[in-house]
Amino acid sequence: MALWSVYAFAAMACSMFCKDGAGSAAFYPANGVIVAGLLVLPRRIGVWYAVACLAFNLAQNALGQIDISHNVLYAILNQGLSFAVAGLIRTFCGAAVDLSRVRRLVTFAAIVIGAGIMESVVGQTATMFIEGNHNFFLHACAQWAGEDSLGLLIATPAILLPLKSARAVYASDANIPERWLLLALTGALSMMAFSQGHSFAFVLLYPLLMLTAFRAGPQWVFASVFTTAFIAIACTSHGLGPIAVLAGKEPYLAQFMIQLFVVSIFISAVPATSALGERNRDAARLQRIHAVARAAQANAEAANHAKSQFLANMSHEIRTPLNGVLGMAQAMEHDALTPMQRDRLDVIRKSGDMLLAILNDILDLSKIEAGKLELESAPFDLEELARGAHATFTAISNKKGLSFDLTVSPEAAGTYVGDSTRVRQILYNLVSNALKFTESGEVRVSLFALDRGFGVKVEDTGIGIDADRVSHLFQKFEQADATTTRRFGGTGLGLSICRELAHLMGGAITVQSRVGHGSVFSVTLPLERSANGCAPVTPTLSGDDAEAALGERTLRVLAAEDNPVNQLVLKTLLHQAGVHPMLVGDGAAALAAWEVGDWDLILMDMQMPIMDGLDATRAIRAREAATGRGRTPIIALTANVMSHQIAAYVDAGMDRFVGKPIEVGELFSAMEAVLGDDGSEETERAVA
């Protein structure tokens, strides 16, 4: 009903105010109201709405004393034009007629102009047969097309956009009063410009409409254009305004000039608001994309944190029972065993070591993927590191009957600054793979100098790798082929980790291989040489020497460990060195025992009930500082060995840490080291 009222008002206003003396108007907006109704109303209601508009059109024409033939012709043509335009708009522009998109604006304009031309040709042809007058056919068609096209072009979006305001894209955040004020100023200025014959105030309409385009939105721009067009056409048709003065007594010229004026204000404002709407739509889209990206980043960070927490927890949970297996296996090595029992024990120990290696590889890979693997920067002796690796694997090569040679060129020998642990990890992995996949022949390790840093080459005469598999070799969980996985075992993570470690150090790793002839792995590491030319030497004892040294002392050791299996392992290993610890089950008990006793050393687990190891250590260090009591060495015994966790141990005041599963030689070496410290270097050597 509301739309039909708008249609009736538009039709009556145009008939009363916009027609000139010859009975023609520069534009007919009523058809645009019909089109808007057909687009927004449900189909059945839209048909009845069109029928109601048709009835009003017939009645209005009859009251205007138009003969029945012309009355029916004009009414049918108006309805046909409206249905055709509505269908084309729905097909090519969408029902919303979203004119904040430039492409849709151009499409909409083409539809209404083309439909107006087609209607004018059909209508003028029919009129020509009715009247029998063939004069001025093209002139009449042009006048008719301009009238209907201009009405559709301005009125359709002016009615439609307010009904679809939720889809509107505004150029700014101007409030409603400001938009109404702009519309009122446009109407007032239009009245002032076209109510006087020689006023040039109409030129001010262009900047005002541009301001509306910038400050308001598409629906307000079309409302302003419609208001200006209606006032200008109404005044001109009654002989008022500058256009009527310029046209004189030529009604066709006046109509043509006013249509040009309406087109000019349309062009000055509508493309601008469409372009601004497009820009703001893109800006809104970018904001949504950024919001989604920020949410995705937050989710990724949360997932990464959850993953790190999960890995830390799983590392702890796996290392704790593994500590029982490997700890007791080490304790049993000191017992009198039969050859069969010792062979079985060797299987247990090797299987446990293999499981520990897999766990360490997974943790390293996780830290690399999370970007949390931190490289140390300290001097180390390259030749000493290489010869240590050679000594470690010599027994394996002898057992397999392989020749195992190491060559360090004089130019490469010396001290470099970098992470010796990670360099050793790369070298150990390459040598281990070479020995694993070589059944006969030799393995050669060569270290050579580069312009910056050094290179490592590991050559073997093993099974080799297919050329099509070489490119996949450094991917996660990849090996030469499926048969090597079954025959030789392994996770396929080692080479992937080596490549990532080499990249983190600024280097690279490559491979050359032939099936049946062997492989050559080359690593380049551009590490700087140490300025002082020598690496610091930290005096440490081997596990056996440290155990013997501990046995010569009477030590008072306090051990905090909540897990009964780990308590038994720790007690058994220490008893073998002649050390009899006092065991407590949580950090609070450790703090209470420390306060009443005089201890040479504290072995502190991290995850315990009531009070964990970190809090207990902080409390001990705080009370030492408050009371002036001498510093008691504290060694962390923990399954949590990720880099950020180790940093937390140092910050809490721990002197060293020993990872679980406990390696007995590492434990005894750490104990002997902290017992020999004078207290001034504990922090520097806490993570050694």
Side-chain angles (χ1 to χ4, degrees):
M1 185 65 183
L3 274 175
W4 184 85
S5 299
V6 173
Y7 167 79
F9 175 79
M12 292 177 61
C14 182
S15 177
M16 295 173 59
F17 300 108
C18 297
K19 288 189 176 182
D20 56 20
S24 63
F27 82 146
Y28 186 69
N31 288 340
V33 182
I34 298 177
V35 172
L38 293 174
L39 290 174
V40 299
L41 294 174
R43 188 177 298 275
R44 179 174 297 179
I45 297 177
V47 171
W48 284 110
Y49 163 73
V51 170
C53 292
L54 174 63
F56 183 87
N57 195 186
L58 289 170
Q60 184 187 25
N61 290 340
L63 291 175
Q65 298 181 347
I66 299 177
D67 64 86
I68 186 65
S69 58
H70 287 85
N71 187 354
V72 173
L73 174 64
Y74 295 157
I76 292 176
L77 286 174
N78 286 336
Q79 294 297 315
L81 174 66
S82 300
F83 273 96
V85 170
L88 292 171
I89 289 175
R90 193 183 297 275
T91 301
F92 295 102
C93 299
V97 192
D98 186 2
L99 298 182
S100 62
R101 298 179 183 273
V102 176
R103 180 182 62 83
R104 291 186 178 182
L105 172 64
V106 174
T107 304
F108 169 73
I111 288 173
V112 297
I113 293 173
I117 293 173
M118 289 297 298
E119 186 222 17
S120 68
V121 171
V122 173
Q124 190 59 34
T125 302
T127 301
M128 187 174 60
F129 281 106
I130 293 173
E131 297 178 351
N133 184 5
H134 299 268
N135 297 325
F136 308 107
F137 178 81
L138 294 178
H139 182 276
C141 286
Q143 183 180 1
W144 195 334
E147 176 182 337
D148 283 341
S149 297
L150 202 57
L152 288 169
L153 191 64
I154 297 174
T156 302
I159 301 299
L160 190 62
L161 285 173
L163 299 176
K164 295 284 187 176
S165 59
R167 298 287 299 272
V169 178
Y170 292 102
S172 73
D173 56 354
N175 53 35
I176 295 297
E178 182 180 350
R179 293 178 179 134
W180 277 109
L181 178 60
L182 288 170
L183 180 59
L185 285 175
T186 303
L189 185 60
S190 299
M191 285 295 298
M192 184 173 65
F194 286 93
S195 62
Q196 302 177 27
H198 298 281
S199 174
F200 290 94
F202 71 89
V203 297
L204 298 177
L205 288 168
Y206 296 98
L208 182 57
L209 289 171
M210 289 294 293
L211 179 62
T212 304
F214 276 92
R215 294 298 298 167
Q219 62 200 60
W220 294 90
V221 169
F222 276 101
S224 298
V225 170
F226 181 84
T227 300
T228 301
F230 184 85
I231 293 174
I233 292 172
C235 291
T236 302
S237 64
H238 289 80
L240 300 176
I243 293 178
V245 173
L246 290 174
K249 296 182 179 181
E250 295 290 336
Y252 293 126
L253 177 60
Q255 185 171 331
F256 176 71
M257 292 177 66
I258 194 63
Q259 287 177 339
L260 284 180
F261 169 73
V262 173
V263 170
S264 70
I265 61 174
F266 181 90
I267 292 175
S268 69
V270 174
T273 194
S274 299
L276 289 170
E278 191 82 21
R279 184 204 65 181
N280 293 330
R281 187 182 303 277
D282 293 340
R285 186 183 298 113
L286 286 176
Q287 289 179 349
R288 292 194 297 270
I289 292 173
H290 290 164
V292 171
R294 286 192 294 269
Q297 181 181 7
N299 292 337
E301 290 175 351
N304 187 50
H305 176 74
K307 173 185 173 183
S308 299
Q309 188 62 43
F310 170 78
L311 288 172
N313 293 337
M314 290 305 299
S315 172
H316 180 272
E317 295 304 321
I318 295 174
R319 287 174 185 273
T320 297
L322 192 57
N323 181 57
V325 174
L326 293 179
M328 283 306 181
Q330 294 176 83
M332 289 178 64
E333 289 178 349
H334 291 76
D335 297 340
L337 303 174
T338 65
M340 181 177 292
Q341 290 172 330
R342 193 162 294 280
D343 288 342
R344 292 173 179 173
L345 179 62
D346 187 53
V347 171
I348 295 173
R349 180 67 187 272
K350 288 182 178 179
S351 299
D353 288 339
M354 185 179 299
L355 180 59
L356 180 60
I358 293 173
L359 178 62
N360 289 335
D361 282 348
I362 293 175
L363 288 176
D364 280 344
L365 185 63
S366 172
K367 287 186 283 187
I368 290 171
E369 290 181 342
K372 292 184 177 180
L373 185 66
E374 299 176 358
L375 298 178
E376 295 181 355
S377 182
F380 68 92
D381 187 281
L382 179 61
E383 185 171 3
E384 180 182 340
L385 185 149
R387 298 204 180 280
H390 185 266
T392 299
F393 290 98
T394 296
I396 298 176
S397 63
N398 291 339
K399 186 176 180 179
K400 297 186 71 172
L402 302 175
S403 174
F404 183 32
D405 298 324
L406 169 67
T407 303
V408 181
S409 70
E411 295 79 11
T415 305
Y416 295 82
V417 178
D419 192 329
S420 60
T421 300
R422 298 305 179 181
V423 175
R424 185 182 295 108
Q425 183 176 351
I426 294 174
L427 182 58
Y428 275 39
N429 193 285
L430 295 180
V431 172
S432 175
N433 281 348
L435 293 172
K436 180 196 298 187
F437 294 104
T438 302
E439 297 295 336
S440 61
E442 62 179 350
V443 173
R444 295 192 303 272
V445 180
S446 306
L447 278 74
F448 52 91
L450 300 173
D451 293 339
R452 180 169 176 248
F454 61 89
V456 179
K457 183 181 294 184
V458 179
E459 305 172 78
D460 65 66
T461 56
I463 61 174
I465 307 166
D466 287 332
D468 59 342
R469 300 296 304 169
V470 169
S471 60
H472 302 282
L473 197 59
F474 294 100
Q475 297 179 2
K476 303 177 187 68
F477 307 106
E478 281 286 342
Q479 289 191 327
D481 56 38
T483 60
T484 60
T485 303
R486 294 194 295 268
R487 182 180 176 188
F488 296 99
T491 62
L493 290 176
L495 288 177
S496 175
I497 293 172
C498 287
R499 183 189 64 176
E500 296 297 335
L501 291 176
H503 287 174
L504 287 173
M505 288 185 272
I509 181 170
T510 58
V511 59
Q512 296 177 335
S513 185
R514 290 176 58 196
V515 176
H517 291 79
S519 304
V520 179
F521 285 84
S522 301
V523 183
T524 57
L525 299 175
L527 301 182
E528 299 289 345
R529 289 185 178 270
S530 176
N532 57 22
C534 61
V537 178
T538 302
T540 58
L541 298 178
S542 65
D544 293 338
D545 292 338
E547 180 179 355
L550 292 174
E552 297 174 358
R553 306 186 186 189
T554 301
L555 296 176
R556 292 156 297 178
V557 176
L558 174 62
E561 171 63 66
D562 65 311
N563 186 281
V565 173
N566 289 343
Q567 286 184 350
L568 180 59
V569 170
L570 187 59
K571 183 178 179 180
T572 302
L573 295 177
L574 291 175
H575 278 182
Q576 290 181 344
V579 178
H580 300 277
M582 176 181 175
L583 291 168
V584 295
D586 59 74
L591 178 59
W594 171 83
E595 287 182 330
V596 300
D598 187 15
W599 306 98
D600 297 309
L601 176 66
I602 300 176
L603 302 176
M604 186 77 73
D605 186 31
M606 290 295 99
Q607 292 186 343
M608 295 182 290
I610 303 177
M611 179 182 286
D612 63 25
L614 285 176
D615 289 340
T617 300
R618 293 189 188 101
I620 290 173
R621 295 303 183 218
R623 296 186 187 184
E624 286 175 344
T627 61
R629 181 172 173 176
R631 182 185 178 93
T632 303
I634 301 177
I635 297 177
L637 302 179
T638 178
N640 300 327
V641 293
M642 300 185 81
S643 58
H644 66 280
Q645 294 165 331
I646 296 171
Y649 307 154
V650 177
D651 292 340
M654 293 183 169
D655 298 281
R656 285 180 179 255
F657 84 94
V658 174
K660 293 179 182 178
I662 295 175
E663 178 66 37
V664 64
E666 182 182 353
L667 173 62
F668 292 155
S669 295
M671 291 173 62
E672 180 61 27
V674 298
L675 290 170
D677 283 346
D678 61 5
S680 61
E681 301 178 3
E682 62 276 352
T683 301
E684 295 177 5
R685 291 156 51 177
V687 294

